[in-house]
């Protein structure tokens, strides 16, 4: 063996090592089996939101706000009816605050 042949053989692994840093193509993994259609998970049932309702001290308003707790146990499409009912009741309570007082039966004397 000549010195040139020995050098060529010694350089060959280092040349291959230089290319070893390059990424080798990744072969796709074989699928485990035929893909089965995934059924969508059923929606979760009604769950309380945990919203704290602080009493206002006004019995009528507090009764309407307590009605909101009933929406926690309904499906989402049932919330609209409850919200509209509570909204209507709160608007009536506010309107009643702006109305002039009704005279009593004996305050209408002349």
């Amino acid at each position: 063996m000549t010195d040139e042949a020995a050098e060529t053989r010694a350089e060959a692994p280092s040349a291959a090592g230089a290319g070893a840093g390059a990424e080798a193509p990744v072969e796709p993994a074989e699928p485990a089996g035929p893909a089965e259609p995934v059924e969508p998970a059923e929606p979760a049932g009604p769950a309380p939101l945990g919203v704290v309702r602080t009493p206002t001290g006004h019995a009528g308003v507090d009764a309407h706000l307590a009605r909101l707790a009933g929406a926690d146990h309904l499906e989402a499409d049932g919330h609209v009816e409850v919200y509209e009912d509570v909204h209507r009741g709160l608007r009536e309570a506010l309107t009643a605050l702006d109305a002039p007082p009704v005279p009593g039966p004996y305050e209408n004397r002349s």
Side-chain angles (χ1 to χ4, degrees), residues 2-109:
T2 63
D3 288 338
E4 289 179 16
E7 287 178 10
T8 306
R9 288 185 191 146
E11 290 176 7
S14 64
E23 292 185 30
V26 178
E27 298 199 20
E30 292 183 28
E36 294 182 24
V38 178
E39 293 182 26
E42 295 206 14
L49 296 176
V51 177
V52 178
R53 287 171 289 279
T54 306
T56 63
H58 187 279
V61 172
D62 290 340
H64 290 296
L65 294 177
R67 172 115 164 77
L68 290 175
D72 283 347
H73 306 291
L74 298 173
E75 296 291 330
D77 57 352
H79 289 190
V80 174
E81 182 181 341
V82 174
Y83 294 158
E84 286 177 350
D85 182 47
V86 170
H87 184 254
R88 187 179 313 107
L90 292 174
R91 286 187 71 99
E92 289 173 2
L94 285 172
T95 303
L97 292 174
D98 291 337
V102 177
Y106 298 108
E107 294 178 10
N108 203 6
R109 295 183 183 170

